[in-house]
Amino acid sequence: EEAEKRANMPAVSKGDGMRGLAVFISDIRNCKSKEAEIKRINKELANIRSKFKGDKALDGYSKKKYVCKLLFIFLLGHDIDFGHMEAVNLLSSNKYTEKQIGYLFISVLVNSNSELIRLINNAIKNDLSSRNPTFMCLALHCIANVGSREMAEAFAGEIPRILVAGDTMDSVKQSAALCLLRLYKTSPDLVLMGEWTSRVVHLLNDQHMGVVTAAISLITCLSQKNPDEFKTCVSLAVSRLSRIVSSASTDLQDYTYYFVPAPWLSCKLLRLLQCYPPPEDGAVKGRLVECLETILNKAQEPPKSKKVQHSNAKNAILFEAISLIIHYDSEPNLLVRACNQLGQFLQHRETNLRYLALESMCTLASSEFSHEAVKTHIETVINALKTERDVSVRQRAADLLYAMCDRSNAKQIVAEMLSYLETADYSIREEMVLKVAILAEKYAVDYSWYVDTILNLIRIAGDYVSEEVWYRVIQIVINRDDVQGYAAKTVFEALQAPACHENMVKVGGYILGEFGNLIAGDPRSSPLVQFNLLHSKFHLCSVPTRALLLSAYIKFINLFPETKSTIQEVLRSDSQIRNSDVELQQRAVEYLKLSSIASTDVLATVLEEMPPFPERESSILAKLKKKKGPGAVSVNELEEGKREGGELNGGGERGGDSSSTPSPSADLLGLRAGPPVTAAAPSAGSLLVDVFSEAVKQPSPTAFLRLFVCKNNGVLFENQLLQIGIKSEYRQNLGRMYLFYGNKTSVQFVTFTTTVTCPGELQSHILHIHTWNSLEPLIEGGAQVQQVINIECLTDFSDAPLLNIKFRYGGALQNLTLKLPVTINKFFQPTEMASHDFFQRWKQLSLPQQEAQKIFKANHAMDTEVLKAKLLGLGMALLENVDPNPENFVCAGVIQTKAQQVGSLLRLEPNAQAQMYRLTVRSSKDTVSKRLCELLAEQF
Amino acid sequence: MIGGLFIYNHKGEVLISRVYRDDIGRNAVDAFRVNVIHARQQVRSPVTNIARTSFFHVKRSNIWLAAVTKQNVNAAMVFEFLYKMCDVMTAYFGKISEENIKNNFVLIYELLDEILDFGYPQNSETGALKTFITQQGIKGQPQTKEEQSQITSQVTGQIGWRREGIKYRRNELFLDVLESVNLLMSPQGQVLSAHVSGRVVMKSYLSGMPECKFGMNDKIVIDKQGKGGTTDEPGKSGKQSIAIDDCTFHQCVRLSKFDSERSISFIPPDGEYELMRYRTTKDIILPFRVIPLVREVGRTKLEVKVVIKSNFKPSLLAQKIEVRIPTPLNTSGVQVICMKGKAKYKASENAIVWKIKRMAGMKESQISAEIELLPTNDKKKWARPPISMNFEVPFAPSGLKVRYLKVFESKLNYSDHDVIKWVRYIGRSGIYETRC
């Protein structure tokens, strides 16, 4: 776009060269040191200042020269704080070069001085209304380059008129379209097309290439925001496209680029069409399909030139067409043709083409029409994975393999991916591991294959196997009776390798602990052999793994009473029972006591086999989704497919899982939670969950404000969908609030927006709030996003700001308005003072309106410690030994606002017999006393 | 200890590279060049840490000297060494410039071998070094064994800085007190901070192994004498003595004697050397007083009037006086009127520079300037940097007076009276600023 704009400027004529500028620049270039350069610049600046100050008026040429020098100095990195006026003067010149330099200076050194902006706007207005097309273009470029809100306010109404006026020159129209696009991107609310819409759309038919290209950019952007208004562009775009593509037409034949007619325009048209669903009108659709077929046909033709530009242009159109075909996803014929075309590219010499082909195929694979067609290329893709030199292409190949995998080829693909994993690039290993784990689980026909695959995975790339992967394998083994014996055997064999990965030890420990008895019959894997094997790895493992192994040992005691003495010996050793790690020590001590005290019956009950896990969404899938890799789209698609063929997953009952906690951390609670009891008795785990859930008991949205008067962190809001946590910190009159939005569902929230408003007075001058980082409009299922709000207290206030949250959950719009817990007491600075000082100040604040008093009944138990904690949470200093009555509480603090500081004193007198309080607040400002009194009265 | 020493030219090319310890690799040379000499921002700290290696550098004109170490060395020691090394090189071949270093690189390596051993600084006394590291190349006849053993015994002996058997026909002694006075004064004439840092530099041409004793009006010594001896004029001695905040001595001074008796006695090196450095902060004589008057007339004009008053005996003459009056950044024109000297607006330095060749004591002189300003939309106010001044006066602003310098040589028969002694005081301006 920029290049197009430049092309419109006439070149500066030779005779107009500025000698002084050239000399200055060469002086600067010849400077030996930084100091010399600064001296030269200072000298020049002084010269320019004296020239600008001089009483005799400067001619346009000198003005231009000096403004140019200033611009150069600015670009060298020095501050320029004058010359704006001279630049504005240049704008009114009639010479092109002078005007151009003036505009250049203004677009580079935008000044916020309002008077100057008025002058600039005036000059721009004059140029826009002049009949001179170059001047109009210059003005439009300046607007676009500055692109500020003020500019948009001044000209957003004017530019559409220029754009569609009949008598506007083509080059001006082109600039106007791009200028409008820029303004729309910066301040969309100011650019209102309204009545111009249809005329803008009809620019698609313009004869001037530049106008059409610029107009398409504008229309594409506009129609993304309001597709309905610009619907008519579809038929126009289709007819334009067909005129360009079909060889019979002569439309824009002048713009043939290496034998390809108007390639950029074609690409842009195809991209515009991707904003809309397939056209409903049969004729239009027919014409479009014809176009797409022509494009596909042309790809088959032998190239008309050997030049790389020719093939680049041709392929650009082809890929854009394929994107459109994929976007429509309704023409099986076209999809298959596209797929075949891409298949040819898979073995193309050009690396970029191979990359693009793989990438497009990934999306094709998810379409039901072309899935089979994609599958035919499996050998080529596998080959690409093995032989491709470029890592990014290999990554795409891996993505495609993942996308094209189904039941028929799962074994082959998983095997290939596993073998690739050994040599894979480190950056993609973790993702690959997750993909293999998912595919293995999803398409597992027999579970021994699944167990083999995952154990292989751990063996090959143990470092990249995340917790979720081995949790999942254990979940599945526990839930499937038929595979347990096999799993125990395989794990036992795998552990015999001299060096095995810690994750393997974890899986081994867990599985042998549960199902070691299934292979104990074989003398080669007798209980003692199993135990010794596990224990030989013990010393090489980290603390969590050791803890897990200790749990496995106590399970061994239950499974094989004959190992009891050996294991007790191990537990009793100093390295266990006196381990410096508290967790390990506790486990050792408790297990030792448990094994020696409890009877076999009790042991058997306590250490019973783990019950089956509730079926739930694979935590691995959630993890892969969280890694927003390029394969993320296909993962979602796959999940859809999986839902249909649920029985593949060997359970079929994974539908109604909403009751279980969706967060992956809840997985295998028995393994994760700290205390050893939970490992032994899973019911304790759920108990733990209950304890936690009690802590976040949902407050009613209206009453929450008083919960936050005395504390800064907590859960602000919670329902079935969303949880909002809050963390805030205050210093003097400034505050910062972190809001955490947690998606409790497994579905993503889209168009998630939050706005903070201050109602009424609060808005204008009391509280100054601005959000710090904007949120992404998307929250993935189970994910949490964070927002920061900065708060500045200008003067005291009583109301609270409102937080409005809007998002779509499964199509339904959710709207929520909450009050943010910002209360005046947050800005307290505690003040320590002695008894004498306190009462002296107390007396000073004796005006009747400075005092607020309330007598009220206690809502909560009158516990001194609780009261103290609450008063401290309030932010004031709790003064000890001040009040003669030790039952009473007195506090002192200063509220910091930007405008002033309000000192406040507080006295709370509890009456235990009557269960009543008397609260007195005195502060230097009456509104503050009242508000504090109100806030506090709800607390006790 | 110092691990290596590099000398670079202004382009960052290595002229001299001497590595003393194995922990300093070849890449250290490049690290300094890349991170300090070619750094995007000017590196102002003299110590730079790069990858756990410390680089200490000093710059002489456009030559960089960098000492490198991986250990936790005494930074002050390293810098003292670097300065000493500069002195040694200057004594051998004059100005430290790229050309001189290239022409004398063999000599420099020879010196580096001698003054630094395994990273530990050794004897860096020019006089001593010159006895065995010479520039004349191989002499006609090699040094005799006796000569060699004499050098060895001198270098390794107690008095490493002076060889025996020096003989002069005229025993002469030159003593310079060089001081630089630093000042920051408020516009109202209140001294915000002031100190004098001074040096006593000597040039001695004495025969034999003379024992010297240097006396000055140190407050502690005078008071002690006043108490112990005659008490007839306590007021005078109190006025004339000075309080020295801290001082450092040349290695020839017997520190034990200074500690116990506060007397400065020494066997001097032959030739030129710096006997002591000191600093005073009390009762400083400020040779000049600057009285600024800045008036802003509207937004576009500034009137500046500066009066300087010389504040010393009328018989003395100050020289090389230069007053630098900063101008605002939006100055568009300057008119200057001064009665004495020459004044000029230097746009490249954003200052008016007023130069006076000579000025006697107890005089005053004034300059007035009209500065035209260009109105800018910048809201920043001009910070009004202080007016600075340079000068040279023939007395010591700290008030230091040389009371005596006695020479005793018991073996040769010349006495203190036979030695011709010259004493000179020079006071220069350091950072001498007055806020306006």
Side-chain angles (χ1 to χ4, degrees), chain A residues 144-157:
Chain A
N145 279 334
V146 175
S148 65
R149 206 166 162 84
E150 292 83 15
M151 286 275 181
E153 272 164 9
F155 300 109

Side-chain angles (χ1 to χ4, degrees), chain A residues 415-707:
Chain A
E416 288 298 342
M417 283 173 108
L418 265 181
S419 69
Y420 170 63
L421 200 54
E422 289 187 67
T423 55
D425 207 73
Y426 292 106
S427 54
I428 61 169
R429 277 199 182 181
E430 190 180 354
E431 203 187 320
M432 289 282 296
V433 165
L434 285 175
K435 283 181 170 167
V436 171
I438 290 168
L439 291 180
E441 181 190 336
K442 196 157 63 170
Y443 300 114
V445 193
D446 65 300
Y447 279 89
S448 52
W449 175 73
Y450 171 73
V451 170
D452 278 346
T453 308
I454 299 293
L455 291 183
N456 251 335
L457 198 63
I458 295 175
R459 192 174 52 75
I460 294 169
D463 282 339
Y464 300 90
V465 172
S466 53
E467 303 273 274
E468 284 83 358
V469 172
W470 74 266
Y471 286 178
R472 191 70 189 154
V473 71
I474 284 171
Q475 281 178 18
I476 285 174
V477 169
I478 285 177
N479 288 7
R480 311 283 311 175
D481 298 340
D482 46 340
V483 78
Q484 286 161 355
Y486 180 77
K489 187 162 158 278
T490 334
V491 154
F492 178 75
E493 278 162 9
L495 279 177
Q496 274 166 338
C500 50
H501 195 268
E502 193 166 330
N503 278 338
M504 185 71 91
V505 179
K506 286 181 189 165
V507 177
Y510 201 96
I511 287 183
L512 291 182
E514 294 291 332
F515 311 113
N517 54 339
L518 300 179
I519 55 167
D522 190 332
R524 281 168 301 170
S525 55
S526 69
L528 223 54
V529 175
Q530 282 184 36
F531 171 74
N532 285 335
L533 183 61
L534 274 183
H535 198 58
S536 68
K537 316 282 181 199
F538 186 88
H539 305 283
L540 303 170
C541 294
S542 62
V543 170
T545 312
R546 289 189 191 190
L548 189 148
L549 283 179
L550 287 180
S551 297
Y553 295 169
I554 186 76
K555 290 225 163 191
F556 266 39
I557 294 184
N558 177 38
L559 290 179
F560 320 112
E562 66 266 37
T563 61
K564 186 172 174 176
S565 59
T566 321
I567 292 175
Q568 276 181 338
E569 199 56 46
V570 169
L571 289 177
R572 205 175 287 128
S573 73
D574 277 358
S575 62
Q576 307 301 352
I577 212 156
R578 293 198 183 146
N579 196 297
S580 60
D581 188 273
V582 180
E583 176 68 35
L584 289 182
Q585 195 186 77
Q586 190 180 356
R587 283 194 191 212
V589 171
E590 288 181 3
Y591 290 160
L592 187 62
K593 271 277 171 274
L594 183 68
S595 64
S596 46
I597 292 171
S599 68
T600 40
D601 287 349
V602 173
L603 261 187
T605 327
V606 172
L607 303 171
E608 207 182 2
E609 196 176 296
M610 292 290 277
F613 285 88
E615 281 296 335
R616 61 175 75 129
E617 185 196 6
S618 163
S619 50
I620 311 175
L621 209 56
K623 168 128 187 178
L624 186 61
K625 268 194 255 170
K626 241 187 255 168
K627 283 179 71 84
K628 278 185 197 148
V633 187
S634 51
V635 173
N636 282 341
E637 306 271 352
L638 272 168
E639 205 209 359
E640 299 297 312
K642 190 171 137 189
R643 210 163 259 169
E644 287 158 23
E647 46 102 35
L648 285 182
N649 200 10
E653 64 270 84
R654 64 169 295 289
D657 59 359
S658 57
S659 57
S660 68
T661 345
S663 98
S665 68
D667 269 11
L668 287 174
L669 251 176
L671 281 172
R672 271 234 179 145
V677 216
T678 56
S683 60
S686 56
L687 225 166
L688 213 60
V689 174
D690 283 343
V691 173
F692 285 142
S693 61
E694 188 128 55
V696 293
K697 216 178 190 171
Q698 184 193 337
S700 82
T702 46
F704 76 93
L705 198 62
R706 76 188 157 84
L707 288 182

Side-chain angles (χ1 to χ4, degrees), chain A residues 910-925:
Chain A
N911 183 339
Q913 276 105 35
Q915 288 288 306
M916 296 278 273
Y917 291 103
R918 184 166 76 186
L919 174 71
T920 319
V921 179
R922 284 188 181 184
S923 67
S924 51
K925 206 163 172 188

Side-chain angles (χ1 to χ4, degrees), chain A residues 35 38-40 42-43 45-47 49-53 79 81-82 84 111 113 116, chain B residues 42 300 328-333 345 347-350 372-378 380:
Chain A
E35 292 75 35
I38 289 171
K39 277 193 170 173
R40 180 69 184 91
N42 279 337
K43 200 174 147 197
L45 283 175
N47 175 37
R49 280 194 302 260
S50 71
K51 285 285 171 5
F52 282 174
K53 173 76 180 183
D79 275 342
D81 52 4
F82 65 102
H84 295 87
N111 198 293
N113 185 333
L116 218 55
Chain B
Q42 195 195 351
T300 60
L329 291 175
N330 55 345
T331 305
S332 62
Y345 167 54
S348 59
E349 288 154 47
N350 283 323
E372 281 179 78
L373 302 176
L374 193 71
T376 61
N377 29 32
D378 213 1
K380 270 183 289 176

